[in-house]
Amino acid sequence: MKSLLIMLMTTVLLLTACAPTFDKQEEVVQETEETNEKAIIPRYNISESYYRTILPFKPGEARGLVVRNLQTRLDITEFETGLMRIAQESFSSDQYFYQEGQKISKETIESWLNRKMSPAQLQEDNKKEAENLGLNPIFEYNANSEESYETQMSKSPIYLAHMLEHNYLIKNKDGKVELGGVVIGLALNSVQYFNLPDDQGGYPREVKIDTDVLKKEGKRIAEEVLARLRTMDELKNVPIVIALFEQEEISSIAPGNFIAKTGVINKGNRIDKWEDVNEEYHFFPSTAATNAYREDAVMFTNFKTDIDEFFPNYTGVIGRGFYKNEELYQLTIEIPMQFYGKAEVIGFTQFITGEVMEHFPDYFSLQVYVSSENGPESIIVRNAGEEEPFVHIYN
C-alpha cells in the first residue's frame, strides 16, 4: 500500500508539473491573397515536438488522398508525423503554427501522380500537352519486343506514390499570421505492384526498386515540383522544404522512412543541395534488429526475460525502435496481458517501471503501453534525459 501511495503521489506531481497554463486564447488575423480572416492560436502547446494548429481547423485541399495512395497505416502515420519532424529543423514549433496544405488542390496532386503520356497516348485519349502533367515516367507496352511485360514494367515503374503539403504560418510585424513556409513530402514506392495483362494470365507481380534509384528519381521529381510551385502566385517567394519518403512494402511490419531532404529554398526554382536522412525502424525481437543493433537487442531481450520469469500469464512483449543516425532515438514497447483484477495491474505496472529504470538508459525516449482484452491498462513514459518515468494507471 505504501508503494502504491508513493507511485500515485508521484503521478499527481508529474501531472501537476505538466499541466497547461490556461491563458486566454489569442485571436489574430490570418492574411491570404483573397481576404483577411479571424483565426485563433491555441493557448497551449502540449509538447515542443508538436506545432500549435491555427483554428478554426481547415482541412487540406488534398485531404484523404494519403489513405488511398500509401500502402499501410504505419506508412501513413510516419509520412505525416515524420514530415513535421523534418519541418522543425527549418520552422521552429515555438514560432510557427501548423496548417494543413491549402495551396495545392486535390485535382492538381492527382494529375501530378499520373504517368507522363507519350504523344501517341495523348492523341488516343484526346488530351492536350498542357494536360500532360504526370510526374511518373511514360509506359508503353511493346508487344513485339523480346522483353516481357514484367521486364518492360520494371524499367519504367511508378516512383511517386503520393505528395503531401504542410503549411507553416508565422506572425508578421503587424501581428497578423501569414504563410511563412511550405514543406512538401514526396512518398516514393520501394516496390512496384502490378498485374500482368489478361492475355498473359493477369497474375500479380512486384518489382523491388533500389533505394539509390529511388533517391535519384525522387530528386528529379522534386525539381519539377518546385518549378511548378513557383508558378503559383502565393508560393513565388515562400520558403519551401522538400523531403523524400521511401514507403515500405505492403507486408512490412515496420513503417518506411525519409531518405533525403532539401534545406530551405527561399527563392527560385532550383535545388542546390540535398541532405541524406539517416532514419530507420526496427522491431524487437527480430533477426534484423539483432543483426543491425546487437546491444539494443540484448538489452530488450533481458527486459523481456525478466517479465517471463515473474509474470507467466503475459502474451508477449513487442518493441519498436526508431533510429536516427544509427542511434536509438525512441523505443515503444507494447505488453498485452491477461489480468484478473486491478491490484494485479498495479503490481505489474510497478514491476515494469522498475525494470524500465534498470534495463534502459535515459539517452532515448521510451513509452511502454500495457493493455488487456478490456483495453489500455497503464502507460509508462520517460523522455530522453529524465531519470524517472511518468506512470499512469487507467481507472
Side-chain angles (χ1 to χ4, degrees), residues 24-76:
K24 187 176 180 180
Q25 294 185 129
E26 183 178 357
E27 186 175 283
V28 294
V29 173
Q30 181 177 348
E31 290 190 326
T32 66
E33 289 282 320
E34 298 81 16
T35 183
N36 291 336
E37 302 174 347
K38 287 187 178 180
I40 299 294
I41 298 176
R43 64 171 68 91
Y44 181 66
N45 190 5
I46 60 175
S47 167
E48 292 180 357
S49 300
Y50 298 104
Y51 288 91
R52 286 181 286 173
T53 301
I54 291 288
L55 303 175
F57 178 78
K58 288 185 177 181
E61 287 289 321
R63 190 181 192 186
L65 278 183
V66 67
V67 177
R68 190 179 75 189
N69 293 333
L70 293 195
Q71 308 286 11
T72 68
R73 170 56 61 181
L74 291 172
D75 275 331
I76 293 170

Coordinates of all heavy atoms in Angstrom, one line a residue, residues 24-76:
K24 N -5.7 33.1 -21.8 CA -6.7 33.4 -22.8 C -6.1 33.1 -24.2 O -5.0 33.4 -24.5 CB -7.1 34.8 -22.7 CG -8.3 35.2 -23.6 CD -8.7 36.6 -23.3 CE -9.9 37.0 -24.3 NZ -10.3 38.4 -24.1
Q25 N -7.0 32.4 -25.0 CA -6.5 32.2 -26.4 C -6.3 33.5 -27.1 O -7.0 34.4 -26.9 CB -7.6 31.3 -27.1 CG -7.7 29.9 -26.5 CD -8.6 29.0 -27.3 OE1 -8.2 27.9 -27.7 NE2 -9.8 29.5 -27.6
E26 N -5.4 33.4 -28.0 CA -5.0 34.7 -28.8 C -5.8 34.7 -30.1 O -5.7 33.7 -30.9 CB -3.5 34.7 -29.0 CG -3.1 36.0 -29.7 CD -1.6 36.0 -29.9 OE1 -0.9 35.1 -29.4 OE2 -1.1 37.0 -30.5
E27 N -6.5 35.8 -30.3 CA -7.2 35.9 -31.6 C -6.3 36.8 -32.5 O -5.9 37.9 -32.2 CB -8.6 36.6 -31.4 CG -9.4 36.6 -32.6 CD -10.8 37.2 -32.3 OE1 -11.6 36.4 -31.8 OE2 -11.0 38.4 -32.6
V28 N -6.1 36.3 -33.7 CA -5.3 37.0 -34.7 C -6.0 37.1 -36.1 O -7.1 36.5 -36.2 CB -3.9 36.4 -34.9 CG1 -3.1 36.4 -33.6 CG2 -4.1 34.9 -35.3
V29 N -5.4 37.8 -37.0 CA -6.0 37.8 -38.3 C -5.0 37.0 -39.2 O -3.8 37.2 -39.2 CB -6.1 39.3 -38.9 CG1 -6.4 39.3 -40.3 CG2 -7.1 40.0 -38.0
Q30 N -5.6 36.2 -40.0 CA -4.8 35.4 -41.0 C -4.9 36.0 -42.4 O -6.0 36.1 -42.9 CB -5.3 33.9 -41.1 CG -4.4 33.1 -42.0 CD -4.9 31.6 -42.0 OE1 -5.6 31.2 -41.2 NE2 -4.4 30.9 -43.0
E31 N -3.8 36.4 -42.9 CA -3.7 37.1 -44.2 C -3.7 36.1 -45.3 O -2.9 35.1 -45.3 CB -2.5 38.0 -44.3 CG -2.7 39.3 -43.4 CD -1.6 40.3 -43.7 OE1 -0.5 39.9 -44.1 OE2 -1.8 41.5 -43.6
T32 N -4.5 36.2 -46.3 CA -4.5 35.4 -47.5 C -4.5 36.4 -48.7 O -4.7 37.6 -48.6 CB -5.7 34.4 -47.6 OG1 -6.9 35.2 -47.7 CG2 -5.7 33.6 -46.3
E33 N -4.4 35.8 -49.9 CA -4.4 36.5 -51.1 C -5.8 37.2 -51.3 O -6.0 38.3 -51.8 CB -4.1 35.7 -52.3 CG -2.7 35.2 -52.4 CD -1.8 36.3 -53.0 OE1 -2.2 37.0 -53.9 OE2 -0.7 36.5 -52.5
E34 N -6.9 36.5 -50.9 CA -8.2 36.9 -51.1 C -8.8 37.8 -50.0 O -9.5 38.7 -50.2 CB -9.2 35.7 -51.3 CG -8.8 34.8 -52.5 CD -7.7 33.8 -52.2 OE1 -7.4 33.6 -51.0 OE2 -7.1 33.3 -53.2
T35 N -8.5 37.4 -48.7 CA -9.2 38.1 -47.6 C -8.4 38.0 -46.4 O -7.4 37.3 -46.3 CB -10.6 37.4 -47.4 OG1 -11.3 38.2 -46.4 CG2 -10.4 36.0 -47.0
N36 N -8.8 38.7 -45.4 CA -8.2 38.6 -44.0 C -9.3 37.9 -43.2 O -10.4 38.4 -43.0 CB -7.9 40.0 -43.4 CG -6.8 40.6 -44.1 OD1 -5.9 40.0 -44.7 ND2 -6.7 42.0 -44.1
E37 N -8.9 36.8 -42.5 CA -9.9 36.0 -41.8 C -9.4 36.0 -40.3 O -8.2 36.0 -40.0 CB -10.0 34.6 -42.3 CG -10.4 34.5 -43.7 CD -10.3 33.1 -44.3 OE1 -9.7 32.2 -43.6 OE2 -10.9 32.8 -45.3
K38 N -10.4 36.0 -39.4 CA -10.0 35.8 -38.0 C -9.6 34.4 -37.7 O -10.2 33.4 -38.2 CB -11.2 36.2 -37.1 CG -11.5 37.7 -37.0 CD -12.6 38.0 -36.0 CE -12.8 39.5 -35.9 NZ -13.9 39.8 -35.0
A39 N -8.6 34.2 -36.9 CA -8.1 32.9 -36.6 C -7.7 32.9 -35.1 O -7.4 33.9 -34.5 CB -6.9 32.5 -37.4
I40 N -7.6 31.7 -34.5 CA -7.3 31.5 -33.1 C -6.0 30.7 -32.9 O -5.8 29.7 -33.6 CB -8.4 30.8 -32.3 CG1 -9.7 31.6 -32.4 CG2 -8.0 30.5 -30.9 CD1 -9.7 32.9 -31.7
I41 N -5.1 31.3 -32.1 CA -3.9 30.5 -31.8 C -4.2 29.8 -30.4 O -4.5 30.5 -29.4 CB -2.7 31.4 -31.6 CG1 -2.4 32.1 -33.0 CG2 -1.5 30.6 -31.2 CD1 -1.3 33.1 -32.9
P42 N -4.1 28.5 -30.4 CA -4.4 27.8 -29.1 C -3.6 28.2 -28.0 O -2.4 28.6 -28.2 CB -4.1 26.3 -29.5 CG -4.3 26.2 -31.0 CD -3.8 27.5 -31.5
R43 N -4.1 28.1 -26.8 CA -3.4 28.7 -25.6 C -2.2 27.8 -25.2 O -1.4 28.3 -24.4 CB -4.4 28.8 -24.4 CG -5.0 27.4 -24.0 CD -5.7 27.6 -22.7 NE -7.0 28.3 -22.9 CZ -8.1 27.7 -23.2 NH1 -8.2 26.4 -23.3 NH2 -9.2 28.5 -23.3
Y44 N -2.2 26.6 -25.6 CA -1.2 25.7 -25.0 C -0.7 24.7 -26.1 O -1.4 24.2 -26.9 CB -1.9 24.9 -23.9 CG -0.9 23.9 -23.2 CD1 0.2 24.4 -22.5 CD2 -1.1 22.5 -23.3 CE1 1.0 23.5 -21.8 CE2 -0.2 21.6 -22.7 CZ 0.8 22.1 -21.9 OH 1.7 21.3 -21.3
N45 N 0.6 24.5 -26.0 CA 1.3 23.5 -26.9 C 1.7 22.4 -26.0 O 2.4 22.5 -25.0 CB 2.6 24.2 -27.5 CG 3.1 23.3 -28.6 OD1 2.6 22.2 -28.9 ND2 4.3 23.7 -29.1
I46 N 1.2 21.2 -26.3 CA 1.4 20.0 -25.4 C 2.8 19.5 -25.4 O 3.2 18.9 -24.4 CB 0.4 18.8 -25.8 CG1 0.7 18.4 -27.2 CG2 -1.0 19.2 -25.6 CD1 -0.1 17.1 -27.6
S47 N 3.6 19.9 -26.4 CA 5.0 19.4 -26.4 C 5.7 20.2 -27.5 O 5.2 20.7 -28.5 CB 5.1 17.9 -26.8 OG 6.4 17.5 -27.1
E48 N 7.0 20.4 -27.3 CA 7.9 21.0 -28.3 C 8.0 20.2 -29.6 O 8.4 20.7 -30.6 CB 9.3 21.3 -27.7 CG 9.3 22.3 -26.6 CD 10.7 22.5 -26.1 OE1 11.7 21.8 -26.6 OE2 10.9 23.4 -25.2
S49 N 7.6 18.9 -29.5 CA 7.6 18.1 -30.6 C 6.4 18.3 -31.6 O 6.4 17.8 -32.7 CB 7.6 16.6 -30.2 OG 8.7 16.3 -29.4
Y50 N 5.4 19.1 -31.1 CA 4.2 19.4 -31.9 C 4.1 20.9 -32.2 O 4.6 21.7 -31.4 CB 3.0 18.9 -31.2 CG 3.0 17.4 -31.0 CD1 3.2 16.9 -29.7 CD2 2.7 16.5 -32.0 CE1 3.3 15.5 -29.5 CE2 2.7 15.1 -31.8 CZ 3.0 14.6 -30.5 OH 3.0 13.3 -30.3
Y51 N 3.4 21.2 -33.3 CA 3.1 22.6 -33.6 C 1.7 22.9 -33.1 O 0.8 22.0 -33.0 CB 3.0 22.8 -35.1 CG 4.4 22.8 -35.8 CD1 5.0 21.6 -36.3 CD2 5.1 24.0 -35.9 CE1 6.2 21.6 -36.9 CE2 6.4 24.0 -36.5 CZ 6.9 22.8 -37.0 OH 8.1 22.8 -37.6
R52 N 1.4 24.1 -32.7 CA 0.1 24.6 -32.4 C -0.6 24.7 -33.8 O 0.0 25.2 -34.7 CB 0.1 25.9 -31.6 CG 0.4 25.7 -30.2 CD 0.4 27.0 -29.4 NE 1.5 27.9 -29.8 CZ 1.7 29.1 -29.4 NH1 0.7 29.7 -28.6 NH2 2.8 29.8 -29.7
T53 N -1.9 24.4 -33.8 CA -2.6 24.4 -35.1 C -3.6 25.6 -35.1 O -4.3 25.8 -34.1 CB -3.4 23.1 -35.2 OG1 -2.5 22.0 -35.3 CG2 -4.2 23.1 -36.5
I54 N -3.5 26.4 -36.1 CA -4.4 27.5 -36.2 C -5.9 27.1 -36.3 O -6.2 26.1 -37.0 CB -4.1 28.3 -37.5 CG1 -2.7 29.0 -37.3 CG2 -5.1 29.4 -37.8 CD1 -2.7 30.2 -36.4
L55 N -6.7 27.8 -35.5 CA -8.1 27.5 -35.5 C -9.0 28.6 -36.1 O -8.5 29.8 -36.0 CB -8.6 27.2 -34.1 CG -7.9 26.1 -33.3 CD1 -8.3 26.0 -31.9 CD2 -8.1 24.8 -34.0
P56 N -10.1 28.4 -36.7 CA -10.7 27.0 -36.9 C -9.9 26.2 -37.9 O -9.3 26.7 -38.8 CB -12.1 27.4 -37.5 CG -11.9 28.7 -38.2 CD -10.9 29.4 -37.4
F57 N -10.0 24.9 -37.6 CA -9.2 23.9 -38.4 C -9.7 23.9 -39.9 O -10.9 23.8 -40.1 CB -9.4 22.5 -37.8 CG -8.7 21.4 -38.6 CD1 -7.3 21.3 -38.5 CD2 -9.4 20.6 -39.5 CE1 -6.6 20.3 -39.2 CE2 -8.7 19.6 -40.2 CZ -7.3 19.5 -40.1
K58 N -8.8 24.0 -40.8 CA -9.1 24.0 -42.2 C -8.5 22.7 -42.8 O -7.3 22.5 -42.8 CB -8.5 25.2 -42.9 CG -9.1 26.5 -42.7 CD -8.5 27.6 -43.5 CE -9.2 28.9 -43.3 NZ -8.6 30.0 -44.2
P59 N -9.4 21.8 -43.3 CA -8.9 20.6 -43.9 C -8.1 20.9 -45.1 O -8.3 21.9 -45.8 CB -10.2 19.8 -44.3 CG -11.3 20.4 -43.5 CD -10.9 21.9 -43.2
G60 N -7.1 20.0 -45.4 CA -6.2 20.2 -46.5 C -7.0 20.1 -47.8 O -8.0 19.3 -47.9
E61 N -6.5 20.7 -48.9 CA -7.1 20.6 -50.2 C -7.1 19.2 -50.7 O -8.0 18.8 -51.4 CB -6.3 21.5 -51.2 CG -6.6 23.0 -51.0 CD -8.0 23.4 -51.4 OE1 -8.5 22.9 -52.4 OE2 -8.6 24.2 -50.7
A62 N -6.1 18.4 -50.3 CA -6.0 17.0 -50.8 C -6.3 16.0 -49.7 O -5.8 14.9 -49.7 CB -4.6 16.8 -51.3
R63 N -7.1 16.4 -48.8 CA -7.4 15.6 -47.6 C -8.0 14.2 -48.1 O -8.9 14.1 -48.9 CB -8.5 16.2 -46.7 CG -8.7 15.6 -45.4 CD -9.8 16.3 -44.6 NE -9.8 15.8 -43.2 CZ -10.7 16.2 -42.3 NH1 -11.6 17.1 -42.7 NH2 -10.7 15.8 -41.1
G64 N -7.5 13.1 -47.5 CA -8.0 11.8 -47.8 C -7.1 11.0 -48.8 O -7.2 9.8 -48.9
L65 N -6.4 11.8 -49.6 CA -5.6 11.1 -50.7 C -4.5 10.2 -50.1 O -4.2 9.2 -50.7 CB -4.9 12.1 -51.6 CG -5.8 12.7 -52.7 CD1 -4.9 13.7 -53.6 CD2 -6.4 11.6 -53.6
V66 N -3.9 10.6 -49.0 CA -2.8 9.8 -48.4 C -3.3 8.4 -48.0 O -2.5 7.4 -48.2 CB -2.2 10.6 -47.2 CG1 -3.2 10.6 -46.0 CG2 -0.9 9.9 -46.7
V67 N -4.5 8.3 -47.6 CA -5.0 7.0 -47.2 C -5.2 6.1 -48.4 O -4.9 4.9 -48.4 CB -6.4 7.1 -46.5 CG1 -7.0 5.7 -46.2 CG2 -6.3 7.9 -45.2
R68 N -5.5 6.7 -49.5 CA -5.7 5.9 -50.8 C -4.4 5.5 -51.4 O -4.3 4.5 -52.1 CB -6.6 6.7 -51.7 CG -7.0 5.9 -53.0 CD -7.9 6.8 -53.8 NE -7.1 7.8 -54.6 CZ -7.6 8.8 -55.3 NH1 -8.9 9.0 -55.3 NH2 -6.8 9.6 -56.0
N69 N -3.4 6.4 -51.3 CA -2.2 6.2 -52.1 C -1.0 5.5 -51.4 O -0.1 5.0 -52.0 CB -1.7 7.6 -52.5 CG -2.6 8.2 -53.5 OD1 -3.4 7.5 -54.2 ND2 -2.6 9.5 -53.6
L70 N -1.0 5.5 -50.0 CA 0.1 4.8 -49.3 C -0.4 3.3 -48.9 O -1.6 3.1 -48.8 CB 0.5 5.5 -48.1 CG 1.2 6.9 -48.4 CD1 1.9 7.4 -47.1 CD2 2.2 6.8 -49.5
Q71 N 0.6 2.5 -48.8 CA 0.3 1.0 -48.6 C -0.2 0.6 -47.3 O -1.1 -0.2 -47.2 CB 1.6 0.2 -48.9 CG 2.4 0.6 -50.1 CD 1.7 0.0 -51.4 OE1 0.6 -0.5 -51.3 NE2 2.3 0.1 -52.5
T72 N 0.3 1.2 -46.2 CA -0.1 0.8 -44.9 C -0.4 1.9 -43.9 O 0.1 3.1 -44.2 CB 1.0 -0.1 -44.2 OG1 2.2 0.7 -43.9 CG2 1.4 -1.2 -45.1
R73 N -1.1 1.7 -42.9 CA -1.4 2.7 -41.8 C -0.1 3.1 -41.2 O 0.1 4.3 -40.9 CB -2.3 2.1 -40.8 CG -2.5 3.0 -39.5 CD -2.9 4.4 -39.8 NE -4.2 4.4 -40.5 CZ -4.8 5.6 -40.9 NH1 -4.2 6.7 -40.6 NH2 -6.0 5.5 -41.5
L74 N 0.9 2.3 -41.0 CA 2.2 2.6 -40.5 C 2.9 3.7 -41.4 O 3.5 4.6 -40.9 CB 3.1 1.4 -40.3 CG 2.7 0.4 -39.3 CD1 3.5 -0.9 -39.4 CD2 2.8 1.0 -37.9
D75 N 2.9 3.5 -42.7 CA 3.5 4.4 -43.6 C 2.8 5.8 -43.6 O 3.4 6.8 -43.6 CB 3.4 3.9 -45.0 CG 4.6 3.0 -45.3 OD1 5.7 3.1 -44.7 OD2 4.5 2.0 -46.2
I76 N 1.4 5.7 -43.5 CA 0.7 7.0 -43.4 C 1.1 7.8 -42.2 O 1.3 9.0 -42.3 CB -0.8 6.7 -43.4 CG1 -1.3 6.0 -44.8 CG2 -1.7 7.9 -43.1 CD1 -2.7 5.5 -44.8

